[in-house]
Amino acid sequence: METDTLIKLAESFTAHAGGSEATISNKVTTNARLFKRLRDGKGCAVSTFNAALVWFSENWPADLEWPADIPRPRKKKDAA
């Protein structure tokens, strides 16, 4: 689990979609300080990491390319 993954996704998402990372963080995990905590060297639970990764994947803008160095989770409807 690389917390830099979530930071990179948050940076790309907010740069493209606008808004603050705190707002996006609150939507992702209901914790507005998640990305700040990760930048400060603190971690998160594996379940939080996984939930955030899925949220980004499901809400990623269609006109923004997913970062090539981050494996994208399969969509729920595809995960049979």
Side-chain angles (χ1 to χ4, degrees):
M1 175 174 79
E2 302 242 357
T3 56
D4 289 344
T5 296
L6 294 185
I7 293 169
K8 182 175 183 175
L9 290 172
E11 288 173 347
S12 296
F13 189 95
T14 56
H16 182 78
S20 71
E21 282 189 4
T23 299
I24 297 303
S25 180
N26 200 42
K27 289 180 181 182
V28 171
T29 66
T30 68
N31 178 353
R33 297 180 306 204
L34 174 64
F35 303 121
K36 180 183 178 337
R37 288 180 41 80
L38 296 177
R39 279 195 181 88
D40 289 345
K42 298 176 183 168
C44 67
V46 172
S47 59
T48 299
F49 177 89
N50 290 334
L53 193 58
V54 168
W55 187 94
F56 277 118
S57 183
E58 292 179 353
N59 293 280
W60 200 255
D63 61 339
L64 179 62
E65 188 173 337
W66 183 266
D69 59 334
I70 298 174
R72 189 168 187 174
R74 291 172 41 189
K75 293 189 181 220
K76 287 182 182 179
K77 64 183 175 184
D78 295 340

